[in-house]
Amino acid sequence: NNFADFDRLKKECFLKECFHQDENCSDRIIKAHSIQNNKILNKISENGEVLMIDDGNDNSIFFKTSMQRKGRKIATTFTGFCGGHDKNLFAPIEDKDYQIGNKEQEFLFAYRALAKEYHTKMTTGDMTRKMKQYTKAGEYHKLSNTFDENNKPDIEQIKLIAEYITGTLIGHEESEARLQIFRERMNKAVDNSNFSEIVTDVIELDEEYHIAVSSIAYIERDLNDKVVNELKDLNAQLAPLFVTIFPQGGKTYILLSYFERNKRKYKFIREQILSQSI
């Protein structure tokens, strides 16, 4: 199961591209934070470090996740924006505190979660395509340093590698196509200041908790077991839920955001979750 050096492949394939690519891009792609460094990570860090869920580095295809310490300067960074867009687009959430119901701020939190997810999926897709390229050329030593002239994979290993690549690519390419549609939709909305494209339900907790999240989930079922996203059907239109969590001013805010067109699918948040007591 250690047939590929995933760390090396990730370095080779790490996407460096501005999510809002246009004629106003500044030259340099920077390491942008999906969670604000000075505002949020600083608040929840200890000795300049935060704990992050990481897949470890045993290079196995069976990723084992664990909590690992990361310096806050590199935690949550991804090369997904040029310096100009990172500074200008996110000023409303970087320079001002969040206010419940501020549509522009809520849109930008969801937008940044999408950018991070897009960056991750494109990177892992490119890693798999690179693996396919190496295996087609018989360059197994480029997959992993466990292979060389004297130690080539046997037929069983080659078959396993091919099956892994084929199966993984189907999922990646389907995800990439969907995220590309979301990217176009969100970039168009941000260019037109159409922040009502995103609807946000907010849970406000009366204490600051040392947790921060910027992520996307595809909720499969609601709390009554009714299907929200048909995950088994590759042709189904999936509705993403953008999840942002951060402490601020003695409270912790949980932002659950979704596309306006998906609000029927996510009405269960108000009916089944927000109706509950804290």
Side-chain angles (χ1 to χ4, degrees), residues 61-74:
I61 56 171
F62 307 108
F63 292 117
K64 300 179 185 73
T65 56
S66 62
M67 295 297 272
Q68 310 213 347
R69 290 185 177 277
K70 286 267 172 83
R72 70 180 179 89
K73 285 187 179 168
I74 57 160

Side-chain angles (χ1 to χ4, degrees), residues 78-139:
F78 66 112
T79 45
F81 285 101
C82 69
H85 280 126
D86 186 58
K87 188 172 191 312
N88 299 331
L89 285 171
F90 298 111
I93 55 176
E94 289 285 351
D95 303 340
K96 295 185 188 128
D97 276 356
Y98 167 65
Q99 287 184 300
I100 292 179
N102 184 311
K103 297 289 284 180
E104 181 180 19
Q105 289 179 319
E106 288 166 353
F107 178 96
L108 290 172
F109 281 120
Y111 180 72
R112 190 149 60 184
L114 177 65
K116 175 69 172 72
E117 180 75 1
Y118 176 86
H119 184 276
T120 302
K121 282 287 191 290
M122 293 304 287
T123 295
T124 50
D126 285 346
M127 284 167 67
T128 314
R129 284 182 280 273
K130 184 73 85 174
M131 286 169 70
K132 187 177 183 179
Q133 178 191 320
Y134 290 155
T135 52
K136 276 185 90 171
E139 297 176 317

Side-chain angles (χ1 to χ4, degrees), residues 177-231:
R178 186 186 313 118
L179 288 167
Q180 198 64 55
I181 292 166
F182 297 160
R183 178 189 186 179
E184 284 164 20
R185 190 186 297 169
M186 291 280 260
N187 274 328
K188 193 174 167 190
V190 83
D191 287 342
N192 297 326
S193 299
N194 180 21
F195 303 124
S196 58
E197 178 72 45
I198 290 289
V199 176
T200 300
D201 293 323
V202 184
I203 300 169
E204 183 184 34
L205 304 176
D206 284 331
E207 207 175 313
E208 280 198 359
Y209 295 103
H210 282 196
I211 183 169
V213 175
S214 174
S215 189
I216 294 186
Y218 295 97
I219 301 292
E220 188 171 13
R221 292 169 184 272
D222 69 11
L223 274 69
N224 296 330
D225 218 30
K226 187 172 163 233
V227 171
V228 177
N229 281 300
E230 191 60 78
L231 298 183

Side-chain angles (χ1 to χ4, degrees), residues 10 19 53 92-93 108:
K10 187 177 176 182
F19 187 72
I53 296 171
I93 55 176
L108 290 172

Side-chain angles (χ1 to χ4, degrees), residues 1-10 12-13 59-61 63 123-140 142-144 147 157-158 160-166 168-169 172:
N1 63 357
N2 286 25
F3 60 71
D5 184 342
F6 288 108
D7 283 347
R8 195 180 74 205
L9 279 164
K10 187 177 176 182
E12 277 181 52
C13 299
N59 266 316
S60 163
I61 56 171
F63 292 117
T123 295
T124 50
D126 285 346
M127 284 167 67
T128 314
R129 284 182 280 273
K130 184 73 85 174
M131 286 169 70
K132 187 177 183 179
Q133 178 191 320
Y134 290 155
T135 52
K136 276 185 90 171
E139 297 176 317
Y140 295 102
K142 289 188 178 177
L143 271 184
S144 168
F147 302 124
Q157 283 177 307
I158 290 171
L160 182 72
I161 293 167
E163 280 174 5
Y164 171 80
I165 291 169
T166 306
T168 307
L169 265 181
H172 279 319

Side-chain angles (χ1 to χ4, degrees), residues 138 141 146-152:
H141 63 284
T146 58
F147 302 124
D148 56 32
E149 282 303 310
N150 305 317
N151 182 24
K152 293 186 173 175

